[in-house]
Amino acid sequence: MAPVSLDTINPKVLKCQYAVRGEIVTLAQAVQEELKSKPGSRPFDEILYCNIGNPQSLGQQPLTFFREVLALCDHPFILDKSETRGLFSADAIERARQILDQIPGSATGAYSHSQGIKGLRDAIAAGIEARDGFPADPNDIFLTDGASPAVHMMMQLLIRSEKDGILCPIPQYPLYSASIALHGGTLVPYYLDEATGWGLEVSELKKQWADAKSKGITPRALVVINPGNPTGQVLAENNQKEIVDFCKKEGLVLLADEVYQENVYVPEKKFHSFKKVARSMGYGEKDISVVSFQSVSKGYYGECGKRGGYMEVTGFGPEIREQIYKLASVNLCSNISGQILASLVMSPPKVGDESYESYSAEKDGILSSLKRRAKTLEDAFNKLEGVTCNKAEGAMYLFPRIRLPEKAIKAAEAAKTTPDNFYCRCLLNATGIVVVPGSGFGQVPGTWHFRCTILPQEDKIPAVVSRLTEFHKSFMEEFRE
Amino acid sequence: MAPVSLDTINPKVLKCQYAVRGEIVTLAQAVQEELKSKPGSRPFDEILYCNIGNPQSLGQQPLTFFREVLALCDHPFILDKSETRGLFSADAIERARQILDQIPGSATGAYSHSQGIKGLRDAIAAGIEARDGFPADPNDIFLTDGASPAVHMMMQLLIRSEKDGILCPIPQYPLYSASIALHGGTLVPYYLDEATGWGLEVSELKKQWADAKSKGITPRALVVINPGNPTGQVLAENNQKEIVDFCKKEGLVLLADEVYQENVYVPEKKFHSFKKVARSMGYGEKDISVVSFQSVSKGYYGECGKRGGYMEVTGFGPEIREQIYKLASVNLCSNISGQILASLVMSPPKVGDESYESYSAEKDGILSSLKRRAKTLEDAFNKLEGVTCNKAEGAMYLFPRIRLPEKAIKAAEAAKTTPDNFYCRCLLNATGIVVVPGSGFGQVPGTWHFRCTILPQEDKIPAVVSRLTEFHKSFMEEFRE
């Protein structure tokens, strides 16, 4: 008798869903294996993973300066060798030395302080100050293995039972629904308005908040993803102010997912951190609780595999901070390479540094290319019959809406799946392109979408567009009534 | 009004304790700050952290080969440069190339498969096979950021409510009590027998199991830490067989903490993995569920800051494996440097490789030094009045028992703390030596202990011994009746 069965595991685990690595991705992996063992068995010869914000898996190159510093910190022994000067830039060598000086005993193989190495938190706080124009305290920084564990930590802290609600945008990044499910809380959805470019209306927040209250749910926190994932909108500052006021008034913790802060592609929008917005309104530590999540996985760096990130925790009393510290301590600390990288992305080379020019060229190259790709894909989607797609003002995704013929919806039903899932499955089977069905993010009932990253390298984009266009035409033909 | 107070957070978080980074460590950090700002204010000039298994923080050097490979994987750009051959060993260059070949697109900055990079799991499975003489399946390996997240994952999977019990040794590593508290389960204690060198008696397991059942608790899993933490015993193979049979009979998942598998210091004992023991008894996948935890933080490598590790999950059906995969996916993947390192510790240089000799010398140097330090400290503890200390057969700790005068116990009471905590506080204040009170690990009621690592470098050991001895004498004098 197996001691563990689906009937005897934690039902919260069963309930949790995570579409970004869900059914379609498993199917894609199987097709990939098939392509390896039977080349030519499909009308395409590679799988194009547009399901996940994982730039380097699709060929984006890491920033040279960042990697130089990481390599030197991994093997400080070579810092004093003459050959090293031929292999590494002078400012990378200098930065590695500075970082090693900040680490007790220069020991990059030691557990650090549970919040992360103090010197690196100093650098991050200075970077936040430079970005926002308001002070940041290194003691407010908790370095984490990417943003995901930070989100889990806050959910674990806040959620007592299914009576505790977390306001989440719909569509949302499924980390939030997964984490709320795992911690046994209730997701209180608020809908972004697709018609106004995924607008976040405070009236909608108020409505959903009141609705939750009327059901006996206590809303504890509001998740805002800005720039949006999967929706790509960048919030206007005035809108952010209204959101801050709403949280302040209702006593909600503002959980600000700001991991795409470097990814803004339209000149009329600018990223403003929620902490900056709150401070600019005159609200201090005692007025509002704001947690800002940042990650080395996004931006122009895209260092997903390094698992670096941090949360900046403001507006909590010392007794709560102690509890957060304890949660961080139970896992001892986040990985030191990720910690170093988090400090680097918040304090990159400056004008005058040897690496500055090459760094800027690499950075600008990536960001301007992302911008072009976003536009090309957006235009391509909008040309498809029955498809509309809002602009990606920021982040790394498009979330087109697809209007499917009744016959396709029936075919999905017959295949025991949702229409968006059915569409994505057909797309994968016909083209090798992997996207995530809108169901995984949430959508207005009766509407269907999918999320597609803008991350295939530029030389692949024409193929993506033509394969997608061709597929969509034949799909619509097949199911036309 | 602050939205969050101690009354409104998750009570499981409040309940969770983690002594390894608890009160004494916080106090030590304050004293360290004081030493910086007021040098000479204390009768010692440095804090000696013996509270945590963090070798590199105390000066242990990382293994050269491992760090060479990590640096090259961080910055593969230099692999083809001529200077690189002057800086790195040939087999490290070769190994880095092999590893990069196993990573899709050689992208060390990309999220990997949720279980970790397949090629690295192959290397780990081969290492387990070589160690055990029984097959290991790469699909059973889940790479994690150190062993702690793996333990949390299993607790999250298994614990449904406080009616689910996890059998844990007492004393135990407080990760277990913390994780059980956070996931809302019940810790079912079984006591190790200090009189027989921290023996693990199956009769005690049976007794506690029955006791839990009689209270309406469903025991779900048995945690065994071998070699022991904080107790340092290495289980005999026959003893392990009895434990396997007990788990099989009662349908318990065997959670085997095997992170100290390389740390065995006595010739008469040898490490045997629980999976090997189970297989050698003829028990296969269908007979027993065993999860083995391994970490890059321990052994002779001590790479705590890299946060690498894995769990080998055997004896679960595919439907449960899918749930574990989902839990791994919610955090996307563990950090790639840690993944690489986990593969390296399970497949280090071999006879004939350029680095083999220097690698062996470094490894043997560290392990033989740890063995000497364990013995020196054990002897020193046993010479103290009222102190007895079992041998550290393995792991990195001693857990001496201290018998305190009644007057000291009253003084502790007056100071509103436990006697072991009081003793450790006095020790810190008098000597700068940081150890963890036994209360943090659990101990037979009315007995008092502390955990002391064997990790200070050898040149510091005489000072540790003399400071400790001197302190203990004067403490006993002060509180003598």
Side-chain angles (χ1 to χ4, degrees):
Chain A
M1 177 206 66
V4 185
S5 70
L6 288 183
D7 297 334
T8 62
I9 67 167
N10 179 356
K12 292 172 193 160
V13 172
L14 265 186
K15 204 181 153 195
C16 157
Q17 294 299 335
Y18 192 64
V20 172
R21 292 223 162 160
E23 185 212 318
I24 296 283
V25 183
T26 306
L27 184 60
Q29 285 163 346
V31 176
Q32 189 163 31
E33 286 305 309
E34 189 195 310
L35 283 177
K36 250 194 232 167
S37 57
K38 290 189 233 157
S41 61
R42 296 269 177 166
F44 47 87
D45 51 16
E46 64 169 338
I47 299 288
L48 263 173
Y49 286 100
C50 301
N51 58 303
I52 188 167
N54 194 9
Q56 293 190 29
S57 74
L58 296 176
Q60 182 175 308
Q61 291 305 302
L63 276 273
T64 307
F65 176 80
F66 294 165
R67 290 305 190 96
E68 285 181 326
V69 176
L70 287 184
L72 291 166
C73 289
D74 267 345
H75 194 39
F77 174 76
I78 64 174
L79 273 171
D80 294 321
K81 303 280 176 180
S82 58
E83 292 97 330
T84 302
R85 290 196 298 276
L87 287 175
F88 294 86
S89 62
D91 55 338
I93 295 174
E94 176 55 26
R95 184 68 78 95
R97 282 193 206 282
Q98 279 172 17
I99 287 173
L100 290 166
D101 279 348
Q102 288 160 346
I103 303 180
S106 297
T108 53
Y111 295 127
S112 71
H113 185 283
S114 304
Q115 288 184 235
I117 291 158
K118 174 63 166 55
L120 301 179
R121 286 186 279 130
D122 291 341
I124 291 169
I128 295 172
E129 261 183 60
R131 181 193 70 196
D132 290 351
F134 288 94
D137 183 343
N139 295 320
D140 292 346
I141 309 292
F142 287 74
L143 283 151
T144 49
D145 293 310
S148 305
V151 170
H152 288 307
M153 229 187 278
M154 292 310 302
M155 296 298 176
Q156 188 155 44
L157 181 82
L158 292 172
I159 296 172
R160 293 165 294 185
S161 74
E162 71 286 355
K163 294 279 177 198
D164 278 335
I166 310 289
L167 279 149
C168 264
I170 297 294
Q172 50 103 30
Y173 174 49
L175 166 66
Y176 294 98
S177 49
S179 189
I180 294 166
L182 281 175
H183 292 101
T186 294
L187 188 152
V188 178
Y190 66 89
Y191 286 88
L192 301 174
D193 184 8
E194 187 164 11
T196 58
W198 300 113
L200 197 172
E201 298 297 335
V202 173
S203 56
E204 166 73 3
L205 291 180
K206 286 181 181 161
K207 185 182 133 206
Q208 299 294 350
W209 180 89
D211 187 52
K213 289 287 266 190
S214 77
K215 291 176 182 154
I217 305 288
T218 310
R220 305 295 310 274
L222 171 73
V223 173
V224 181
I225 311 174
N226 179 46
N229 173 5
T231 42
Q233 86 285 22
V234 177
L235 298 179
E237 199 176 353
N238 269 340
N239 194 187
Q240 290 183 272
K241 286 184 180 169
E242 296 173 311
I243 295 164
V244 166
D245 267 330
F246 174 71
C247 288
K248 184 174 183 299
K249 176 156 177 271
E250 305 303 352
L252 295 169
V253 176
L254 177 48
L255 299 173
D257 182 334
E258 301 183 325
V259 302
Y260 297 99
Q261 54 189 266
E262 302 271 7
N263 300 98
V264 177
Y265 307 121
V266 291
E268 68 273 22
K269 289 286 181 78
K270 203 177 159 319
F271 168 76
H272 303 281
S273 80
F274 268 102
K275 195 188 106 193
K276 170 186 163 181
V277 170
R279 296 291 177 269
S280 73
M281 296 165 77
Y283 298 147
E285 268 291 315
K286 301 232 161 128
D287 301 305
I288 183 165
S289 308
V290 181
V291 182
S292 167
F293 302 101
Q294 165 66 320
S295 168
V296 305
S297 304
K298 309 301 167 190
Y300 52 92
Y301 15 94
E303 291 277 16
C304 305
K306 296 294 172 189
R307 313 308 290 123
Y310 70 80
M311 57 177 179
E312 186 191 10
V313 175
T314 59
F316 292 87
E319 73 291 356
I320 300 298
R321 294 285 296 266
E322 207 177 288
Q323 299 298 318
I324 302 175
Y325 176 81
K326 189 171 67 181
L327 282 178
S329 294
V330 172
N331 280 324
L332 297 163
C333 68
S334 62
N335 84 88
I336 306 294
S337 295
Q339 291 191 25
I340 291 171
L341 198 46
S343 83
L344 293 175
V345 308
M346 297 307 285
S347 59
K350 288 180 183 53
V351 183
D353 294 349
E354 183 184 307
S355 294
Y356 181 73
E357 268 187 47
S358 61
Y359 156 78
S360 294
E362 290 174 12
K363 172 181 169 177
D364 296 345
I366 291 168
L367 289 175
S368 58
S369 167
L370 285 173
K371 181 178 169 171
R372 285 191 298 272
R373 288 180 258 170
K375 184 81 183 92
T376 305
L377 286 170
E378 175 205 328
D379 289 347
F381 285 133
N382 278 316
K383 279 189 193 135
L384 302 181
E385 180 189 351
V387 175
T388 49
C389 182
N390 278 322
K391 185 187 289 199
E393 298 175 329
M396 296 181 169
Y397 315 99
L398 291 158
F399 198 64
R401 177 168 173 193
I402 42 176
R403 288 160 195 83
L404 299 173
E406 201 50 43
K407 211 170 138 190
I409 291 170
K410 290 226 170 85
E413 223 167 85
K416 292 194 169 129
T417 189
T418 56
D420 52 352
N421 212 46
F422 181 72
Y423 181 89
C424 295
R425 219 192 266 171
C426 294
L427 175 66
L428 168 63
N429 280 319
T431 65
I433 298 171
V434 190
V435 298
V436 186
S439 322
F441 305 89
Q443 49 202 348
V444 170
T447 69
W448 308 107
H449 302 76
F450 60 86
R451 187 184 82 165
C452 178
T453 72
I454 57 170
L455 296 176
Q457 289 296 289
E458 266 188 303
D459 58 347
K460 305 247 180 196
I461 295 284
V464 172
V465 169
S466 67
R467 285 203 241 167
L468 227 155
T469 307
E470 213 176 297
F471 160 77
H472 189 77
K473 266 186 200 153
S474 72
F475 181 93
M476 296 301 272
E477 281 312 320
E478 184 178 348
F479 294 102
R480 200 176 298 285
E481 278 129 323
Chain B
M1 177 205 66
V4 184
S5 71
L6 288 183
D7 298 334
T8 61
I9 67 166
N10 179 356
K12 292 172 192 161
V13 172
L14 264 185
K15 203 180 154 196
C16 158
Q17 294 299 333
Y18 192 66
V20 172
R21 293 224 161 158
E23 184 211 320
I24 297 282
V25 183
T26 306
L27 184 59
Q29 285 162 348
V31 176
Q32 188 163 32
E33 287 304 311
E34 189 194 311
L35 284 176
K36 250 194 234 168
S37 56
K38 290 188 235 159
S41 62
R42 296 272 177 163
F44 48 86
D45 51 18
E46 65 168 337
I47 300 287
L48 263 172
Y49 286 100
C50 302
N51 58 302
I52 188 166
N54 194 9
Q56 295 191 30
S57 75
L58 295 175
Q60 181 176 307
Q61 292 305 303
L63 275 275
T64 307
F65 176 80
F66 294 165
R67 291 304 190 96
E68 285 182 328
V69 177
L70 288 183
L72 291 166
C73 290
D74 267 345
H75 194 39
F77 174 77
I78 63 173
L79 273 171
D80 294 319
K81 302 280 176 180
S82 59
E83 292 97 331
T84 302
R85 290 196 298 276
L87 287 175
F88 294 85
S89 62
D91 55 337
I93 294 174
E94 176 55 27
R95 184 69 78 96
R97 282 192 206 283
Q98 279 171 19
I99 288 173
L100 290 166
D101 277 349
Q102 288 160 346
I103 302 179
S106 297
T108 54
Y111 295 127
S112 71
H113 185 283
S114 304
Q115 290 183 234
I117 292 159
K118 174 61 165 55
L120 302 179
R121 286 186 279 129
D122 290 340
I124 290 169
I128 295 172
E129 261 184 59
R131 181 193 70 196
D132 290 352
F134 288 95
D137 184 343
N139 295 320
D140 292 346
I141 309 293
F142 287 74
L143 283 152
T144 49
D145 293 310
S148 305
V151 170
H152 288 307
M153 229 186 279
M154 290 310 301
M155 296 299 176
Q156 188 155 43
L157 181 82
L158 292 172
I159 297 173
R160 294 162 295 185
S161 75
E162 70 286 354
K163 295 279 177 198
D164 278 335
I166 309 289
L167 278 149
C168 262
I170 295 296
Q172 51 102 30
Y173 174 49
L175 166 65
Y176 294 98
S177 48
S179 189
I180 294 167
L182 281 175
H183 293 101
T186 294
L187 188 152
V188 178
Y190 66 89
Y191 285 88
L192 302 174
D193 184 8
E194 186 162 12
T196 58
W198 300 113
L200 196 172
E201 299 297 335
V202 172
S203 56
E204 166 73 4
L205 290 181
K206 287 180 180 160
K207 187 183 130 203
Q208 299 294 352
W209 181 89
D211 187 51
K213 289 287 267 188
S214 77
K215 290 176 182 154
I217 304 289
T218 310
R220 305 294 311 273
L222 171 72
V223 173
V224 181
I225 311 175
N226 179 44
N229 173 6
T231 43
Q233 86 286 20
V234 178
L235 297 179
E237 199 176 353
N238 270 338
N239 195 186
Q240 290 184 272
K241 285 183 179 170
E242 296 173 313
I243 296 164
V244 166
D245 267 330
F246 173 72
C247 287
K248 183 173 183 299
K249 177 157 175 271
E250 305 305 352
L252 295 169
V253 176
L254 177 47
L255 299 174
D257 182 334
E258 302 183 324
V259 302
Y260 297 100
Q261 55 188 266
E262 302 270 7
N263 300 97
V264 178
Y265 308 120
V266 292
E268 67 273 23
K269 289 284 181 77
K270 201 176 159 325
F271 168 76
H272 302 282
S273 80
F274 268 103
K275 195 188 106 194
K276 171 186 163 181
V277 170
R279 294 293 176 268
S280 72
M281 296 166 76
Y283 297 149
E285 267 291 313
K286 301 231 160 128
D287 301 306
I288 183 164
S289 309
V290 181
V291 183
S292 167
F293 302 100
Q294 164 68 321
S295 168
V296 304
S297 304
K298 310 301 168 188
Y300 53 91
Y301 15 92
E303 292 276 18
C304 305
K306 295 294 171 189
R307 312 309 290 121
Y310 70 79
M311 57 177 178
E312 185 191 11
V313 175
T314 58
F316 292 87
E319 73 291 357
I320 300 297
R321 294 285 295 269
E322 207 177 289
Q323 298 298 318
I324 302 175
Y325 176 81
K326 189 171 67 182
L327 282 177
S329 295
V330 172
N331 280 323
L332 296 165
C333 68
S334 62
N335 84 87
I336 307 295
S337 296
Q339 291 191 24
I340 292 171
L341 198 46
S343 83
L344 293 175
V345 309
M346 298 305 284
S347 59
K350 288 180 184 51
V351 183
D353 294 349
E354 183 185 306
S355 292
Y356 181 73
E357 268 187 48
S358 61
Y359 157 78
S360 293
E362 291 174 13
K363 172 181 169 176
D364 296 346
I366 290 168
L367 288 175
S368 58
S369 167
L370 284 173
K371 180 177 170 171
R372 285 192 297 274
R373 287 180 258 170
K375 184 80 183 91
T376 305
L377 286 171
E378 175 205 327
D379 290 346
F381 285 133
N382 278 315
K383 280 188 193 135
L384 302 181
E385 181 189 351
V387 175
T388 49
C389 182
N390 279 322
K391 184 186 288 198
E393 299 176 327
M396 295 180 168
Y397 315 99
L398 290 160
F399 198 64
R401 176 168 174 191
I402 43 176
R403 288 159 194 83
L404 298 173
E406 201 50 42
K407 212 170 137 189
I409 291 170
K410 290 226 170 89
E413 225 167 83
K416 294 194 168 129
T417 188
T418 56
D420 53 351
N421 211 46
F422 181 73
Y423 181 89
C424 295
R425 218 192 268 171
C426 294
L427 174 67
L428 168 64
N429 280 319
T431 66
I433 297 171
V434 190
V435 297
V436 187
S439 322
F441 305 89
Q443 48 201 349
V444 170
T447 71
W448 308 107
H449 302 75
F450 60 86
R451 187 184 82 165
C452 178
T453 72
I454 58 169
L455 296 176
Q457 289 296 288
E458 266 188 302
D459 58 347
K460 305 247 180 195
I461 295 284
V464 172
V465 168
S466 67
R467 285 203 240 166
L468 226 156
T469 307
E470 215 176 294
F471 159 77
H472 189 77
K473 267 187 200 153
S474 72
F475 182 92
M476 295 302 272
E477 281 313 319
E478 183 178 349
F479 294 102
R480 201 175 297 285
E481 277 129 322

